[in-house]
Amino acid sequence: MKVTVLGSGSVGNATLVEAGEDRILIDAGFSGRDIEQRMRDAGVEPASLAAILITHDHTDHTRGMGVLARRFGLPIYMTRRTAAACAPLLSGDERVLEFSSTTPVTVGTLQICPFLTVHDAVDPIAVTVRHTPSGTRMGIATDLGRPTTAVRAALAHCHMLVLESNHDDAMLWRGPYPWSVKQRIASTHGHLSNRAAAQLLRDLMHTDLVAVALAHLSQHCNDAGLARAEAERALARTGYRGRLDVAPQDRPLETVDVLALRRARGQAEQLDLL
């Protein structure tokens, strides 16, 4: 399994997950043309995608889905309520496949398991993606107002995590947003701070975790160095020896080969037989 965060932040979010010829795009928050270019920059042709899955209706996760779906004949997986909220972004010619937060979606060898999150969207979810032949599992959870018990349970035992680290508390309250927006971001239906993300990472740490990518950093109320430092401090206490990246907004993050990292760590030698 390989994971490429094509870009993540306040402007747009999209993550490519692939295993062999099976490729799925989780969220499509940039323009269709931008996503195509970002995929090519990562060495993947957009025409090789099998599907798009949308986590919630906010435009920084949906902007390019209609264009991509029509151009490449891709199905779009969304919950019923998210599909209704996103109707203005679609022409009606797209193939929309509805699912629920309790219904896994299978794309080739990839099994996508959605779970409910707390955020001020119509029907927000996050997902884990499992490569069934190897058992390699990764989780994508951005736009988290708070890490509920269900969120923690769903993300437990992932080999890679793409996790929101949205804002620095001090920068948020000193920042340029109106007071109402600051309250919304800091609320239990808003976004995770660096401090909260670091605490969640510490709680989710286990010996088979090999990669973490901090995502959805605020343009105005965060800094990559601050987010990384907070996560490093928390993970250092756990003995974490894996990879730690901060996903940029303006370009793809270097592709993470999760299966290769597992092999390098000596996890489940039988993987080499796959």
Side-chain angles (χ1 to χ4, degrees):
M1 176 191 284
K2 296 180 180 180
V3 179
T4 308
V5 181
L6 296 174
S8 186
S10 305
V11 175
N13 298 270
T15 300
L16 172 68
V17 182
E18 52 184 324
E21 298 302 311
D22 301 321
R23 296 185 177 94
I24 185 167
L25 190 67
I26 308 295
D27 287 330
F30 303 99
S31 71
R33 180 176 296 178
D34 194 359
I35 291 173
E36 288 182 49
Q37 186 58 57
R38 288 169 186 252
M39 287 187 66
R40 291 190 175 107
D41 289 345
V44 177
E45 277 300 315
S48 68
L49 279 172
I52 301 168
L53 187 142
I54 299 297
T55 60
H56 63 287
D57 58 289
H58 290 167
T59 55
D60 60 328
H61 294 257
T62 61
R63 186 175 291 112
M65 66 176 180
V67 170
L68 287 174
R70 293 189 295 272
R71 185 167 297 165
F72 300 108
L74 302 173
I76 305 175
Y77 289 92
M78 291 186 281
T79 70
R80 179 183 58 80
R81 294 174 63 200
T82 296
C86 289
L89 293 174
L90 303 174
S91 70
D93 296 326
E94 302 85 359
R95 181 159 55 108
V96 175
L97 303 179
E98 295 181 358
F99 67 97
S100 76
S101 60
T102 60
T103 308
V105 172
T106 300
V107 178
T109 59
L110 298 175
Q111 183 183 59
I112 303 98
C113 293
F115 54 94
L116 290 174
T117 61
V118 182
H119 188 55
D120 58 355
V122 170
D123 193 15
I125 62 162
V127 299
T128 60
V129 184
R130 182 175 180 268
H131 178 230
T132 52
S134 69
T136 302
R137 187 166 173 266
M138 63 86 61
I140 302 176
T142 62
D143 300 75
L144 292 174
R146 67 179 186 273
T148 63
T149 300
V151 167
R152 292 173 186 272
L155 294 176
H157 308 300
C158 285
H159 300 101
M160 178 178 179
L161 292 169
V162 178
L163 185 67
E164 171 172 75
S165 189
N166 178 256
H167 60 276
D168 172 77
D169 289 308
M171 288 183 69
L172 173 64
W173 297 113
R174 292 197 308 261
Y177 294 129
W179 183 253
S180 60
V181 175
K182 294 178 181 180
Q183 289 180 307
R184 175 241 166 195
I185 292 171
S187 76
T188 57
H189 285 70
H191 293 276
L192 284 191
S193 67
N194 294 340
R195 175 180 46 80
Q199 178 62 58
L200 179 56
L201 275 176
R202 187 169 63 180
D203 294 346
L204 292 173
M205 165 60 188
H206 60 97
T207 55
D208 290 342
L209 181 65
V210 296
V212 172
L214 304 178
H216 213 301
L217 273 68
S218 169
Q219 274 187 302
H220 304 295
C221 300
N222 209 351
D223 174 85
L226 291 175
R228 178 186 288 276
E230 193 82 49
E232 284 178 340
R233 280 194 294 271
L235 289 171
R237 299 168 189 162
T238 70
Y240 178 66
R241 297 181 292 112
R243 175 171 173 168
L244 176 62
D245 293 297
V246 180
Q249 176 73 93
D250 59 346
R251 66 188 184 281
L253 183 64
E254 179 185 352
T255 297
V256 179
D257 189 331
V258 188
L259 191 53
L261 291 176
R262 292 190 66 198
R263 287 196 177 105
R265 287 273 291 272
Q267 294 178 13
E269 284 76 6
Q270 64 265 30
L271 294 176
D272 292 323
L273 300 176
L274 297 172

